[in-house]
Amino acid sequence: MNRCLKIAVCLSLVLISAGCGRVGLVYNRLDTLARLQLGRYIDLDAAQKAQFDQQFDALWRWHRSEQLPRYAAELRQLQTLALTPISPATLQPLGDQLRRHARTLTAETLAALAPTLASLRDDQVRALLAKLADDRERQARKQARLSDAKWREQRADTAIDRLDDWAGSVTPAQRQRIEAWAAQLQRDDDQDDARDQVGRQQFEALLRQRREPGFSDRLVGFALAPFDEPEPDATRDRTRQLLADLSALATPRQREHLARRLGELADELDALATSR
C-alpha cells in the first residue's frame, strides 16, 4: 500500500492490534495510541484534536460492537480447522475473508480521518508531506543497505517467529520449508519506489482539494485502490502452499497450542465487544 496512507494504516493497525498479545490492555487504550500515532505526523490544534477524538470514538465504537464479534466467530471456525491439515483450497476463502476485513477497516478509518485532514492548514499539510517523505527516504536507505540474501533471511525469520508464537516450537522440517519459501521470493525495490512515488503525488493532489465537496469519498477511494489490484498468481499460490505445508507438518502438540490460542483470543474479543 502507498506509504502516503501510513497514518491511516497505523490507525487501522491500532484497531486490529488485539491479535498481537495482550488484547484488552491494548484495545482499551486505543484512543491514546491513535492520538500518539497521528501526532507523529501532524501537530493538531485544540479544535482539530477535539474533532479527531470525536471521529475516532465513533470508529472505535463501530469496531468494538460490529467487528469484534465477527472476528471472534471466525476465529472459532479457524480453531476447528487448526486441528487437522488445511489444504490450499481451504485457505483461499480464509484469505479472501481477511482481505475483506482489511478493506472494510481501511475504508472506515479513512472516512473517520477525512474531517481532520480537511481541516488542516497549509503549513500543517506541508509538514505532513515532509514527514512522509522523510520516512520514505529513511526506509529507502535502510533497504539499500540490505542485500537480497539478508532480505530473504529476514522474511524467513519473521515467518518462523510468527509460527513459533502461534503454534509453539517450530520443528526443523517447518523451518526448512519456510527457508525454501523465502529463497524463492523476488525483491523489486524499483517497482515499489515507482508505485510509492505515484501514490505520494496522488495523495498530495487530494490534500490540495481537501476543502472541496466529496473529499472524504475521494480519500477512501484512494485508500482502497491497492485492494483492487490483483495479487500475482505465483505469489498467492506460493503463500497458500507454504501455509498448507506448515499445517501438514504440524505436530499434535502444535495443533492443540494453536487451537487453544485461537479460542482464547476469540473469548477475549467477545468480552471486549460487550464492555464499555
Side-chain angles (χ1 to χ4, degrees):
M1 183 175 293
N2 297 317
R3 294 183 189 278
C4 297
L5 298 177
K6 189 168 183 178
I7 298 172
V9 171
C10 285
L11 298 182
S12 295
L13 290 176
V14 162
L15 282 168
I16 61 175
S17 59
C20 304
R22 305 178 69 179
V23 184
L25 179 64
V26 174
Y27 198 86
N28 286 326
R29 290 167 174 75
L30 287 183
D31 52 347
T32 300
L33 294 173
R35 290 190 208 100
L36 290 173
Q37 289 289 357
L38 187 62
R40 293 182 58 232
Y41 293 90
I42 309 173
D43 185 13
L44 300 178
D45 61 32
Q48 290 168 331
K49 288 178 181 177
Q51 181 183 52
F52 173 77
D53 287 347
Q54 182 180 25
Q55 295 294 328
F56 185 82
D57 185 64
L59 173 68
W60 193 9
R61 283 186 278 107
W62 163 80
H63 189 262
R64 184 188 292 272
S65 64
E66 296 189 23
Q67 298 302 295
L68 291 189
R70 294 182 183 181
Y71 299 167
E74 290 165 11
L75 284 170
R76 291 194 174 90
Q77 294 174 359
L78 285 176
Q79 184 181 18
T80 301
L81 291 174
L83 295 173
T84 57
I86 301 176
S87 69
T90 302
L91 288 166
Q92 179 176 349
L94 297 177
D96 293 343
Q97 192 176 64
L98 181 61
R99 191 174 181 86
R100 285 194 298 272
H101 284 316
R103 196 180 197 280
T104 298
L105 182 56
T106 298
E108 294 292 334
T109 301
L110 266 294
L113 186 60
T116 300
L117 291 178
S119 74
L120 295 181
R121 303 183 307 272
D122 288 347
D123 64 298
Q124 290 175 311
V125 169
R126 288 192 295 270
L128 167 60
L129 294 174
K131 174 61 177 173
L132 290 170
D134 182 64
D135 275 5
R136 178 54 193 151
E137 290 175 8
R138 187 182 303 109
Q139 180 64 21
R141 290 194 297 270
K142 182 179 178 181
Q143 288 294 105
R145 294 193 296 267
L146 200 62
S147 68
D148 288 351
K150 187 63 177 178
W151 177 79
R152 293 188 178 94
E153 180 184 340
Q154 289 183 355
R155 296 293 299 273
D157 288 345
T158 298
I160 289 169
D161 288 345
R162 288 176 179 171
L163 180 60
D164 186 80
D165 180 48
W166 283 98
S169 299
V170 176
T171 67
Q174 289 169 332
R175 181 181 293 272
Q176 185 177 21
R177 179 63 183 90
I178 290 173
E179 290 172 348
W181 162 79
Q184 295 179 326
L185 296 177
Q186 297 299 316
R187 178 183 180 186
D188 194 341
D189 290 345
D190 291 340
Q191 185 180 51
D192 291 342
D193 289 342
R195 186 184 297 113
D196 187 71
Q197 177 66 24
V198 171
R200 289 202 307 272
Q201 292 172 351
Q202 292 174 339
F203 186 60
E204 186 172 353
L206 273 173
L207 289 179
R208 286 198 296 268
Q209 302 171 346
R210 63 190 181 279
R211 295 193 177 93
E212 296 181 10
F215 170 68
S216 179
D217 290 341
R218 292 192 298 274
L219 183 66
V220 171
F222 167 69
L224 294 183
F227 289 98
D228 298 328
E229 296 176 0
E231 184 180 15
D233 291 343
T235 300
R236 179 197 61 205
D237 293 345
R238 279 198 296 267
T239 301
R240 289 177 185 167
Q241 190 61 56
L242 169 67
L243 294 174
D245 290 347
L246 293 175
S247 174
L249 292 168
T251 66
R253 178 173 292 184
Q254 285 179 321
R255 296 188 192 283
E256 293 172 3
H257 182 93
L258 176 57
R260 184 173 62 254
R261 284 288 310 275
L262 292 170
E264 290 171 351
L265 180 55
D267 289 343
E268 192 154 7
L269 294 186
D270 272 337
L272 285 169
T274 57
S275 65
R276 295 188 63 174

